Amino acid sequence: VLRSNRRRLSFITNSCTESLLLLIRPQNLLAISKRELPSPVLCEDRETMAETHPTCLASLIFLVRERFYRQTVNSAVSFLKTYPNDPVLLFFKALGALYEGRTQEAMRELTHLRDKPQTSLCSVMALLYAHRQSGAVGKDQEAVSELDACLKMSRRTAGDRALYFASLLCWILGRNEKARDYVEKSLKMSSSSSQGLILKGWIFLTSNNDVERSQAARYFDSGLRDSKDVFGLMGKAEFFMVRQNESRALDMVNPIIASHPQFIPALVLKMNIFMSHHNWEQAAEEAERILETDAHNLKALHMMSVISAAKDGDMRKVKEYLQRLLSAVEVTEPSTLSLHVEITLPISRLCGHNGDVVQMLTSFVQRVVSRAPDDSALASELGYLLTLQHKYKEAHRWYTKALNLDPGSVAALEGMIRCQLMDGQMEEAAQQLDFFHEVQQSLGRSAEVTLLQALLAQKKGAAQESVVALLKEATELHLRALRGLNHSVDYLQRFNVNFLLQIVRMHLANSQDTPYDAGQPHPFGLKHSSMILEAVIRAAPGVFTSCYYMAQVKFLTGDQVATQHFLNLCMEKEPTMPEIHLLQAKLHLHAGDYSKCLNCLESGVSYNFELQQMPPYNLIKARALKGTGELTAAIQCLCMVLSMPGVRRVTEGQKTSLSLSERASVFLELAGALRLNGEQHEAAKVMQDAIWQFKETPEEMRVMVANVDLVLAKDDVDTALNVLQSVPPSKSSYMQAKEKMACIYLERMRNKKLYIECYREICEHLPGPHSSVLLADAFMKIQEPEKAIEVYEEAVKMVPKDASFATKLGQALVRTHQYDKAVNYYETTLSTSGQDSVCLEMAELLLKLKRFERAQQILEKALDHEDSANLSTMMNDVAFLRILLKVMDAKNEPCLDKLQQMYELQQRIVRRLSFEQPEKIDQQKRMAAVICCELAQKFCSNHDLEKAKQCYSEALIYCADDIEINFQIAQMYYEHHSLDYCEDQCFKILKLDEKHTSTSMLLADVLFRKNEKEEAIKRYTDIIYQYPGNFHALAQLLHMLRWVGRLDDVLPFFKKCETYSPTAVREPGYNYCKGLYYWHAYRVREALKHLNQARGDPEWGEDAVELMVHICLNPDKKTFGGEVFESSEEDLDPPLAFGGKLIGMSRAQDLLRTFRPRSKTGQDKAVFLYNLCLVHSKEPKQVEKAVLHLSDMVAKNVLLEASLLVAAQAFLLLKQSPRARNFLKRISKAQWTHAIAEDFERSCLLLADMYIKMGKYTNAEKLLDDCIRYNMSCSRAYEYKGFMMENDQRYKDAAQQYELAWKYSYCTDPAIGYRLAFSYLKCKNYTQAIDVCHQVLLEHPDYPQIQTEILNRARLLLRP
């Protein structure tokens, strides 16, 4: 029978599936996979659907829980086509109809199900619920009594499945305790029931008890042990969401979607998981995926509407998705009117600033209210939407109607009070709030009521402190209700952006209109606003009004970068908003960029012509004109502002767009402009008017203090001081007055004692840490650091946990050179408070003091903590790691792992900042790019070019067109000899910035190496003509001209520098270049003289000292270690006599004793030069010592070519020629670059000398040709070539080589002159031989044998 049934089922499935699907209406039914539709069979022939189908029961439960009752009915009907007469499906169909209000239909269905074993209990419970909901209990008491009796009987006789469905119904109805009793009874009958265990897990998960919620996972795990129940997997995913473990939640959902890709509830859950993780993009992708399957899906459309509003801030998309959502809910859930309004709540709370969206919602809710006129909640929501449109009278009518329908409606009463307050009905509102206050004594404080109390207090002119206290309490109450909730659509509705932004507006209403001074404490309202706005932007970054208010807060706190960031966001979303342009203009005005300020105002007018009529526009414009010196125009603007309604005087009930602070600023700016324009009398009149207008207002003292400037303009110091002294400590401008007095005492009267006394009085009347810091800073200003330190210590005692004060004290100790005391203080502070900023300060100080071990211990201890999700902690860890890397680098420890760890941490920071703190994203992206570059440089030093390229590519992702990063990439290609890539990269940079000098220089170096030497020289000459003070370019040009044999062509450029700046001759860079020229021109004394003037400079000193040491050790540029010309060299004294070689050695050592390099490269160079001196001493013990040091440097790849060369010279002195030759071969095979040019040349010459000594002329000639190819001025190479030709008796060829050697040695080396004259003599060129002899004898009259052996013989041979 089973086999025949299976064959029959298979046939029906294959042939009828498409027909069945055509019968299903997709808009009214949950989408189901074709594979999940078995063929129609009678229920009696097999087990019930609820126990066999993988997704059906989960789908129905999902729909009922989401209150999609019409979809529940339709889904049950569609499944009944597959499973006719299934009692569970019939029960859910009846339950959906009951919730929709079709009570009689539902009761008929439920009555039929009372006899079914599975639904016997739950159907009776549902019937009782239906009677109670319909209000017919009294009319049909007999039926209710019968149902109660039947329920009691069914409880005793029910099986485990009946108890299970009874528990399920109780849970759906929200009766968790009853549900728990039923499921436990079911589990007693069938302890291994996976469905029962899973349901118990759901009951525990939705409990109000935290302990029970934490136990839910245990039941889910037990239920899922032997099955992969979809309902159970979804429950466990929900559990992980509650625990805010989104990754584990995804692990639960993904298998469901893999098995059932069309199962909508799982896709919705996955969408919610991404939303909970603030992963807006993935949430939107899942929503779009759902809409592809079901275009009318309410959850997906709702999510897309919210994402468009909260994340994108795109009102066009909001309206588009909202229209689709409202149409869909009317089609799919036509009877659930409360759901209609519910879906509008998140949008109205997010988009209360947008009139079009609010109007759409209002029209929709009005239609809903017309269908349910007796629903108090719907009337209240309509009133709320009308208040967002400032239609307070109409809103008041709807709130009144709601209260008539439900006198206990708190929302209606709160809304009515708000309307009364906004409509000026203060007394009525106050009476209602007093009533609320009495009620709240028993029910607890309400955030909304507390805000209304603050609003009432502000409108009545209460003290600002009381208003701020109420706003603080309202915020705390509001945010407390959100604790523990996941980020979701429901969370954003409860978050209520409109509510929080009203608190911010109330704080900012009384703030000043200019930024607070650096160090000046910010009022609580400003700090509270910043905290609120950070939370708003973290929850909904796309709400542009919050970005605007944050820009305003950042402007007032003086954070210009963050202000500009938020203004840019606002401009992208709402460029026509006038306030954005005004704040942008204010920002430019504060930065002193008056032209940009005026341009910004004009740009704002182009978007909105009404901007010109706004008083703030003219006030800002006047300030900018005043800044540019256009006083007359500024005065006209300010007079125009004063003539506007509500500026000079504000009558009762009159509205003005200027705050009290801005009104005062108009008067003060006009008085200041008139004073600067020489109209002292008019300025005084305006000031007197201001004093009268703002008498007994918060701005009174500010006006009085500003009046001092007018008095000081008349040099009436006494009157100014009297006015300032009259300001009492109770006024907000007291501190400003005292600081102005202090300024007068110090700058006008030069009285330090009275200057300090002003700050002492501030500390006396306004005691606190900020006042103490002002006094300490004053002591520092008059150069009394010891007293400043005492005051700083007092400030730190007042606020031991404030890192800024501790840091100031430490910095003061460092400035007074009390380093040990500073370190001890930092250590004490760390032991008591553990503040990160103090730890950073201490680590940097220890690094500067070269106490590397202690610095490393402190940093490693600071980093030794569990992984934190706190952004501030993560950013501090990056700062710690950066200093730790410097310490490890100073200790020569490998640090690649730490660098990679820091980069991974920075990546996490950047990913989160875009949602949580977007104003910091640019700064932290820049930091990520810097770390990438450091990592790339580390890979470059390890010769891992591919990883270095990858790191630089990642750096460009963070800063795409950053010139410095692109330049580093070009340098990497250059150093690794990829000249074509380097050239392309240079051209790319020059397209971004054609005046980037470093890139132009690098491009010239590339062209020179590619043998385009004239083009390279031309580029350098262009740079110097454009920037005559660029001595780095001059030095490189000098090298290039020498390498092409035209060294003297550099002399006009020295003249150019001197003409450009007469003081250039005293510049270290100029003197270095001049010394370098004289050295290559064999004018040793002049070279040393100029280099000596550069050696004390931090930029040029290292190169100057290195060159001077080389000159002292080898003034004649002989081939040290060579033997070919050794005999002739010993016969001569060097031109740089110094009294002998020992004196040259002594001077080189003296130079190294005073050499204090700062960089790591400079320190390596100092070690190298020290060993060079040891080698040049030629003492065997010293030479052996140098060999050890140099071998270590070679092993570490430090100054590789130079170390190899000097080590080879040392081996030659120690008679170890093979080792020397091997070292020299390594250099000669290296690729020539500018950096190793000198060492390459000396190595080739020394190796050629060895080959000549061995008689291997061919090898030697190849090396010498390399020298000449790279340096056409290499006189030694020509000399060696001449020597080989002379030995081969090719005197004419030898004379040509000696002639070049004589030319490029500037006719100063007598040995070359002797050989040249001798070659001329041998090839019978007697006159030229005589000329050369005269040149040699002119400089060296005692030169041995040249007169007797060459000059006299040439003369004799010339005679006929």
Side-chain angles (χ1 to χ4, degrees):
V1 172
L2 287 172
R3 280 197 294 271
S4 63
N5 278 342
R6 284 175 186 148
R7 284 195 296 271
R8 182 165 58 87
L9 291 174
S10 176
F11 171 77
I12 295 173
T13 300
N14 293 332
S15 60
C16 300
T17 298
E18 292 183 7
S19 301
L20 287 169
L21 286 174
L22 290 173
L23 296 173
I24 300 171
R25 298 185 67 186
Q27 64 268 30
N28 298 325
L29 156 71
L30 201 68
I32 303 168
S33 171
K34 293 179 183 180
R35 292 191 299 261
E36 296 173 5
L37 280 172
S39 59
V41 293
L42 294 177
C43 185
E44 288 78 2
D45 290 343
R46 51 180 292 145
E47 293 178 313
T48 64
M49 174 281 308
E51 296 176 326
T52 59
H53 197 280
T55 63
C56 181
L57 186 58
S59 301
L60 293 169
I61 294 170
F62 167 81
L63 291 171
V64 174
R65 286 186 72 205
E66 295 296 339
R67 299 173 60 210
F68 298 159
Y69 303 129
R70 178 61 61 87
Q71 292 182 62
T72 304
V73 172
N74 291 338
S75 186
V77 168
S78 68
F79 277 114
L80 282 166
K81 292 176 183 177
T82 308
Y83 300 97
N85 300 322
D86 187 284
V88 175
L89 291 175
L90 291 169
F91 173 74
F92 273 99
K93 176 174 173 284
L95 188 63
L98 176 62
Y99 274 124
E100 275 201 302
R102 292 180 284 154
T103 309
Q104 294 304 317
E105 177 187 341
M107 291 174 72
R108 283 196 302 272
E109 292 278 359
L110 291 168
T111 302
H112 292 309
L113 294 172
R114 288 174 57 181
D115 299 329
K116 304 294 182 181
Q118 294 92 341
T119 58
S120 60
L121 190 55
C122 62
S123 58
V124 172
M125 293 167 66
L127 280 167
L128 280 168
Y129 176 78
H131 277 289
R132 293 189 179 104
Q133 288 297 105
S134 65
V137 176
K139 298 177 184 177
D140 199 0
Q141 186 62 45
E142 185 179 345
V144 172
S145 299
E146 185 209 341
L147 288 170
D148 277 330
C150 184
L151 180 63
K152 291 175 183 177
M153 178 68 70
S154 298
R155 283 175 187 164
R156 290 194 296 270
T157 61
D160 64 309
R161 302 310 299 156
L163 289 168
Y164 170 80
F165 285 110
S167 174
L168 181 61
L169 176 62
C170 289
W171 176 63
I172 290 171
L173 293 173
R175 299 168 62 186
N176 273 28
E177 290 302 320
K178 276 287 182 186
R180 182 174 173 180
D181 291 341
Y182 282 121
V183 80
E184 285 177 350
K185 288 180 182 177
S186 172
L187 287 170
K188 283 180 182 177
M189 295 183 181
S190 177
S191 59
S192 61
S193 170
S194 61
Q195 287 184 326
L197 290 166
I198 288 167
L199 180 57
K200 190 172 182 180
W202 274 105
I203 294 166
F204 273 58
L205 181 62
T206 53
S207 169
N208 293 324
N209 188 309
D210 291 337
V211 177
E212 288 186 356
R213 283 201 297 271
S214 65
Q215 294 174 354
R218 186 178 63 181
Y219 296 106
F220 286 130
D221 289 337
S222 299
L224 293 169
R225 186 176 294 124
D226 299 321
S227 70
K228 294 298 179 184
D229 188 279
V230 169
F231 190 46
L233 290 171
M234 290 178 67
K236 197 164 184 187
E238 290 265 12
F239 171 80
F240 285 124
M241 276 185 68
V242 170
R243 293 284 170 179
Q244 297 183 345
N245 189 341
E246 287 81 8
S247 60
R248 294 288 302 277
L250 281 173
D251 292 340
M252 295 295 107
V253 174
N254 285 333
I256 304 175
I257 297 172
S259 303
H260 312 286
Q262 302 296 316
F263 183 50
I264 299 293
L267 294 173
V268 169
L269 181 56
K270 187 174 183 179
M271 175 181 73
N272 291 336
I273 293 169
F274 284 129
M275 186 66 167
S276 175
H277 199 46
H278 290 265
N279 193 335
W280 304 90
E281 289 79 7
Q282 291 286 344
E285 283 182 18
E286 290 300 321
E288 292 290 358
R289 179 179 175 182
I290 295 169
L291 290 173
E292 288 175 5
T293 303
D294 179 6
H296 294 89
N297 188 274
L298 298 181
K299 300 297 285 186
L301 289 170
H302 206 193
M303 180 64 74
M304 290 306 299
S305 302
V306 168
I307 290 174
S308 301
K311 186 258 180 181
D312 301 326
D314 187 340
M315 292 300 111
R316 183 188 59 78
K317 285 172 62 179
V318 171
K319 287 185 280 187
E320 177 187 333
Y321 281 112
L322 183 59
Q323 186 61 55
R324 289 175 62 185
L325 174 64
L326 300 180
S327 301
V329 74
E330 288 180 324
V331 170
T332 58
E333 296 296 332
S335 302
T336 316
L337 299 181
S338 59
L339 180 66
H340 290 200
V341 174
E342 253 181 49
I343 63 171
T344 68
L345 299 182
I347 307 300
S348 64
R349 272 59 178 174
L350 284 168
C351 301
H353 59 278
N354 188 276
D356 293 341
V357 173
V358 174
Q359 183 56 49
M360 277 182 69
L361 295 173
T362 305
S363 301
F364 178 74
V365 173
Q366 283 174 336
R367 291 201 303 272
V368 176
V369 170
S370 66
R371 294 175 60 190
D374 297 331
D375 193 318
S376 172
L378 299 185
S380 294
E381 181 59 23
L382 181 55
Y384 177 79
L385 291 171
L386 290 167
T387 59
L388 291 179
Q389 300 173 76
H390 309 294
K391 298 177 180 179
Y392 299 112
K393 291 187 184 298
E394 191 177 347
H396 188 276
R397 286 199 300 273
W398 281 104
Y399 281 127
T400 304
K401 180 179 179 180
L403 276 173
N404 293 333
L405 293 169
D406 179 10
S409 173
V410 174
L413 187 54
E414 288 171 346
M416 192 170 69
I417 295 170
R418 178 180 292 275
C419 291
Q420 290 170 341
L421 284 171
M422 302 310 294
D423 208 30
Q425 302 174 32
M426 302 300 170
E427 294 304 321
E428 294 87 341
Q431 290 173 8
Q432 298 284 4
L433 281 172
D434 288 341
F435 166 73
F436 249 126
H437 182 70
E438 294 299 326
V439 173
Q440 284 183 339
Q441 298 297 325
S442 57
L443 299 178
R445 299 281 285 172
S446 158
E448 181 68 28
V449 173
T450 308
L451 176 60
L452 292 173
Q453 288 175 334
L455 191 59
L456 175 63
Q458 190 177 64
K459 286 186 173 292
K460 283 188 170 183
Q464 185 64 19
E465 292 76 10
S466 62
V467 175
V468 167
L470 286 168
L471 291 175
K472 180 184 177 185
E473 184 184 359
T475 307
E476 289 173 352
L477 290 168
H478 183 73
L479 295 180
R480 189 183 301 159
L482 300 172
R483 288 176 188 166
L485 295 179
N486 288 326
H487 187 257
S488 61
V489 172
D490 179 59
Y491 175 87
L492 290 172
Q493 174 193 322
R494 295 167 184 263
F495 191 73
N496 196 348
V497 171
N498 300 335
F499 178 89
L500 293 170
L501 291 184
Q502 182 174 7
I503 294 175
V504 172
R505 280 195 296 273
M506 292 175 69
H507 277 311
L508 294 178
N510 294 308
S511 63
Q512 63 186 46
D513 62 328
T514 55
Y516 288 87
D517 297 330
Q520 186 179 356
H522 301 151
F524 174 79
L526 206 57
K527 292 187 281 189
H528 195 228
S529 298
S530 181
M531 182 274 291
I532 292 170
L533 290 168
E534 283 175 4
V536 172
I537 291 170
R538 186 163 54 249
V543 179
F544 90 91
T545 46
S546 61
C547 293
Y548 168 72
Y549 288 130
M550 182 60 98
Q552 197 172 346
V553 168
K554 294 298 182 183
F555 172 72
L556 292 174
T557 56
D559 190 343
Q560 296 187 22
V561 175
T563 305
Q564 189 61 64
H565 168 79
F566 285 110
L567 283 173
N568 291 341
L569 292 178
C570 293
M571 287 294 290
E572 289 173 9
K573 294 179 174 65
E574 196 65 39
T576 60
M577 182 177 172
E579 290 82 359
I580 298 172
H581 297 278
L582 291 176
L583 185 54
Q584 181 71 74
K586 274 187 181 181
L587 182 63
H588 290 314
L589 180 68
H590 181 66
D593 197 335
Y594 304 115
S595 60
K596 279 189 178 179
C597 174
L598 293 169
N599 290 338
C600 187
L601 291 172
E602 293 305 315
S603 175
V605 171
S606 68
Y607 281 109
N608 191 334
F609 288 110
E610 294 178 2
L611 187 64
Q612 293 181 88
Q613 307 305 318
M614 298 174 69
Y617 169 88
N618 290 285
L619 175 58
I620 296 167
K621 184 176 181 181
R623 283 172 165 166
L625 291 169
K626 181 181 169 185
T628 58
E630 299 178 51
L631 296 173
T632 305
I635 291 167
Q636 288 175 355
C637 259
L638 290 165
C639 290
M640 186 191 305
V641 177
L642 272 181
S643 64
M644 291 180 177
V647 178
R648 185 180 288 274
R649 293 178 183 82
V650 181
T651 58
E652 188 174 351
Q654 185 179 18
K655 294 184 178 180
T656 175
S657 59
L658 286 179
S659 65
L660 184 67
S661 173
E662 288 175 320
R663 284 183 57 226
S665 295
V666 173
F667 283 89
L668 299 183
E669 290 290 342
L670 179 56
L674 289 167
R675 177 177 61 82
L676 292 173
N677 205 35
E679 302 177 48
Q680 302 296 336
H681 180 67
E682 292 297 322
K685 285 173 61 178
V686 172
M687 189 58 72
Q688 288 304 314
D689 192 9
I691 292 170
W692 182 80
Q693 286 287 338
F694 297 99
K695 188 177 182 181
E696 297 180 355
T697 70
E699 298 296 317
E700 180 182 12
M701 287 299 110
R702 179 184 166 205
V703 173
M704 285 183 63
V705 171
N707 190 34
V708 170
D709 290 331
L710 281 176
V711 177
L712 288 175
K714 303 173 185 177
D715 290 327
D716 191 352
V717 175
D718 293 335
T719 303
L721 290 172
N722 289 334
V723 171
L724 294 169
Q725 283 172 343
S726 67
V727 180
S730 59
K731 297 297 181 181
S732 60
S733 54
Y734 172 76
M735 187 176 291
Q736 183 185 355
K738 282 297 175 186
E739 288 189 279
K740 206 167 193 70
M741 283 178 67
C743 183
I744 292 170
Y745 284 134
L746 185 64
E747 295 179 4
R748 287 182 175 257
M749 301 174 66
R750 309 292 180 189
N751 191 326
K752 293 182 179 180
K753 184 177 179 181
L754 291 175
Y755 169 74
I756 290 296
E757 192 58 35
C758 289
Y759 288 102
R760 289 193 188 279
E761 289 179 18
I762 292 174
C763 289
E764 181 182 346
H765 293 106
L766 300 174
H770 177 67
S771 301
S772 297
V773 167
L774 287 177
L775 177 58
D777 290 344
F779 276 123
M780 292 295 288
K781 190 171 183 178
I782 61 172
Q783 306 298 319
E784 293 187 20
E786 291 77 13
K787 292 182 180 179
I789 289 169
E790 293 176 9
V791 181
Y792 279 134
E793 288 174 346
E794 292 176 7
V796 170
K797 288 176 184 175
M798 295 179 198
V799 195
K801 294 185 179 180
D802 194 322
S804 60
F805 297 122
T807 302
K808 273 183 171 288
L809 176 53
Q811 290 170 348
L813 290 168
V814 171
R815 286 178 63 183
T816 55
H817 308 293
Q818 301 181 57
Y819 302 118
D820 291 331
K821 191 173 180 181
V823 170
N824 292 335
Y825 167 72
Y826 281 138
E827 287 183 341
T828 305
T829 307
L830 275 178
S831 63
T832 55
S833 65
Q835 296 160 342
D836 286 347
S837 59
V838 175
C839 184
L840 286 169
E841 288 280 340
M842 182 180 178
E844 288 180 347
L845 176 59
L846 290 169
L847 179 61
K848 290 174 184 175
L849 296 174
K850 297 186 179 180
R851 301 180 188 177
F852 303 129
E853 292 296 336
R854 181 64 183 135
Q856 188 165 354
Q857 289 173 5
I858 288 169
L859 291 166
E860 288 176 348
K861 184 178 178 181
L863 290 164
D864 186 18
H865 59 75
E866 294 182 1
D867 289 344
S868 173
N870 183 277
L871 274 173
S872 297
T873 304
M874 292 165 71
M875 286 189 273
N876 285 335
D877 284 351
V878 170
F880 288 136
L881 284 166
R882 284 184 66 77
I883 301 176
L884 181 59
L885 287 167
K886 292 178 184 177
V887 172
M888 295 174 74
D889 194 47
K891 293 173 66 180
N892 292 321
E893 291 183 2
C895 54
L896 184 59
D897 291 343
K898 291 289 182 187
L899 196 53
Q900 289 174 323
Q901 177 189 342
M902 180 169 65
Y903 179 50
E904 290 170 5
L905 185 58
Q906 188 64 27
Q907 283 180 308
R908 287 167 53 200
I909 292 170
V910 170
R911 279 197 295 269
R912 287 183 54 189
L913 277 177
S914 57
F915 301 112
E916 298 183 29
Q917 297 178 26
E919 74 277 11
K920 296 181 180 177
I921 188 68
D922 292 336
Q923 176 190 356
Q924 292 302 319
K925 277 187 175 180
R926 179 67 194 163
M927 175 61 72
V930 168
I931 295 170
C932 281
C933 291
E934 290 174 356
L935 200 53
Q937 289 165 4
K938 188 62 69 176
F939 283 127
C940 278
S941 64
N942 294 340
H943 304 288
D944 193 341
L945 190 59
E946 289 306 315
K947 285 187 177 179
K949 288 179 183 177
Q950 182 181 345
C951 289
Y952 278 127
S953 298
E954 291 176 15
L956 288 173
I957 292 171
Y958 294 113
C959 301
D961 292 329
D962 188 279
I963 290 175
E964 290 308 313
I965 297 174
N966 280 288
F967 182 66
Q968 286 187 35
I969 296 172
Q971 284 182 312
M972 175 191 70
Y973 285 133
Y974 181 79
E975 290 166 4
H976 288 79
H977 315 299
S978 301
L979 300 183
D980 291 333
Y981 286 116
C982 181
E983 185 176 3
D984 292 342
Q985 190 71 21
C986 288
F987 282 123
K988 178 182 175 182
I989 298 168
L990 291 174
K991 282 183 181 178
L992 297 172
D993 181 7
E994 61 182 12
K995 295 183 179 180
H996 196 260
T997 311
S998 299
T999 304
S1000 298
M1001 291 170 63
L1002 182 60
L1003 179 57
D1005 292 342
V1006 170
L1007 293 172
F1008 191 88
R1009 285 184 60 184
K1010 292 177 75 174
N1011 213 29
E1012 299 177 35
K1013 297 180 179 178
E1014 292 304 320
E1015 178 63 23
I1017 291 170
K1018 181 181 180 300
R1019 283 190 173 271
Y1020 268 112
T1021 56
D1022 291 342
I1023 293 170
I1024 295 170
Y1025 278 124
Q1026 193 172 1
Y1027 306 105
N1030 190 335
F1031 297 115
H1032 289 285
L1034 182 59
Q1036 192 63 16
L1037 176 62
L1038 190 151
H1039 285 302
M1040 283 188 178
L1041 289 171
R1042 173 174 168 257
W1043 291 331
V1044 297
R1046 291 156 41 196
L1047 178 62
D1048 288 339
D1049 286 2
V1050 80
L1051 293 174
F1053 294 101
F1054 285 114
K1055 293 291 184 185
K1056 176 73 176 174
C1057 293
E1058 292 165 12
T1059 305
Y1060 172 73
S1061 174
T1063 60
V1065 293
R1066 295 194 294 273
E1067 289 286 336
Y1070 174 89
N1071 280 289
Y1072 174 80
C1073 293
K1074 206 67 182 283
L1076 186 64
Y1077 166 76
Y1078 283 132
W1079 166 235
H1080 289 313
Y1082 289 79
R1083 294 165 65 176
V1084 177
R1085 294 188 184 279
E1086 290 94 328
L1088 286 172
K1089 175 184 172 184
H1090 285 280
L1091 290 170
N1092 192 53
Q1093 293 180 54
R1095 72 185 178 99
D1097 183 69
E1099 183 179 4
W1100 295 94
E1102 289 183 11
D1103 292 336
V1105 169
E1106 181 184 13
L1107 189 51
M1108 289 177 76
V1109 169
H1110 279 292
I1111 293 172
C1112 291
L1113 295 176
N1114 189 9
D1116 296 323
K1117 299 188 179 181
K1118 299 296 182 183
T1119 307
F1120 183 79
E1123 299 179 355
V1124 171
F1125 302 124
E1126 187 176 1
S1127 58
S1128 61
E1129 289 174 8
E1130 290 175 354
D1131 293 337
L1132 296 170
D1133 289 326
L1136 178 68
F1138 292 142
K1141 289 185 179 179
L1142 291 177
I1143 294 179
M1145 174 73 68
S1146 176
R1147 290 198 176 185
Q1149 291 171 344
D1150 289 342
L1151 286 168
L1152 289 177
R1153 288 190 193 98
T1154 59
F1155 188 32
R1156 296 288 183 271
R1158 298 181 181 180
S1159 65
K1160 179 70 170 60
T1161 306
Q1163 292 166 2
D1164 292 337
K1165 199 173 287 185
V1167 173
F1168 167 75
L1169 293 174
Y1170 169 74
N1171 288 288
L1172 181 66
C1173 290
L1174 294 181
V1175 172
H1176 275 263
S1177 70
K1178 297 186 179 180
E1179 295 180 12
K1181 290 185 178 179
Q1182 300 288 359
V1183 174
E1184 289 173 359
K1185 181 180 177 182
V1187 166
L1188 292 174
H1189 291 152
L1190 291 165
S1191 299
D1192 185 51
M1193 293 179 75
V1194 168
K1196 293 178 180 177
N1197 222 16
V1198 176
L1199 301 175
L1200 181 61
E1201 289 76 13
S1203 300
L1204 285 168
L1205 171 61
V1206 179
Q1209 292 170 339
F1211 285 134
L1212 286 172
L1213 293 175
L1214 296 173
K1215 307 302 181 184
Q1216 298 180 27
S1217 299
R1219 294 186 68 182
R1221 189 163 54 251
N1222 290 336
F1223 273 33
L1224 293 171
K1225 283 180 179 178
R1226 283 181 64 182
I1227 305 172
S1228 66
K1229 291 177 182 178
Q1231 192 157 359
W1232 185 92
T1233 65
H1234 296 171
I1236 67 166
E1238 293 297 321
D1239 297 316
F1240 182 89
E1241 183 177 305
R1242 291 171 189 159
S1243 300
C1244 288
L1245 290 173
L1246 182 55
L1247 187 56
D1249 185 287
M1250 295 177 70
Y1251 281 136
I1252 292 170
K1253 194 73 175 174
M1254 296 163 63
K1256 296 181 178 180
Y1257 284 5
T1258 304
N1259 292 348
E1261 190 166 4
K1262 181 180 178 301
L1263 290 166
L1264 295 172
D1265 286 340
D1266 286 343
C1267 288
I1268 294 167
R1269 184 169 74 254
Y1270 294 121
N1271 180 11
M1272 295 176 65
S1273 299
C1274 183
S1275 61
R1276 290 295 168 203
Y1278 295 120
E1279 185 181 7
Y1280 277 117
K1281 292 190 77 171
F1283 178 81
M1284 289 189 294
M1285 292 171 182
E1286 183 183 347
N1287 285 353
D1288 290 341
Q1289 296 185 359
R1290 295 157 51 199
Y1291 295 112
K1292 187 174 182 180
D1293 293 338
Q1296 290 177 355
Q1297 297 301 320
Y1298 283 136
E1299 187 176 344
L1300 290 169
W1302 183 242
K1303 172 187 174 182
Y1304 290 121
S1305 65
Y1306 284 78
C1307 306
T1308 59
D1309 191 333
I1312 296 175
Y1314 179 90
R1315 294 189 183 94
L1316 175 58
F1318 181 77
S1319 297
Y1320 280 146
L1321 183 67
K1322 285 293 186 179
C1323 63
K1324 300 181 181 181
N1325 196 340
Y1326 306 123
T1327 55
Q1328 288 188 328
I1330 292 169
D1331 289 342
V1332 172
C1333 288
H1334 282 309
Q1335 290 177 26
V1336 173
L1337 291 171
L1338 183 65
E1339 294 292 329
H1340 308 280
D1342 299 327
Y1343 188 77
Q1345 300 175 353
I1346 193 169
Q1347 185 160 0
T1348 57
E1349 293 184 2
I1350 300 177
L1351 181 60
N1352 293 341
R1353 288 176 62 189
R1355 283 173 177 169
L1356 287 172
L1357 291 169
L1358 270 175
R1359 291 174 184 171

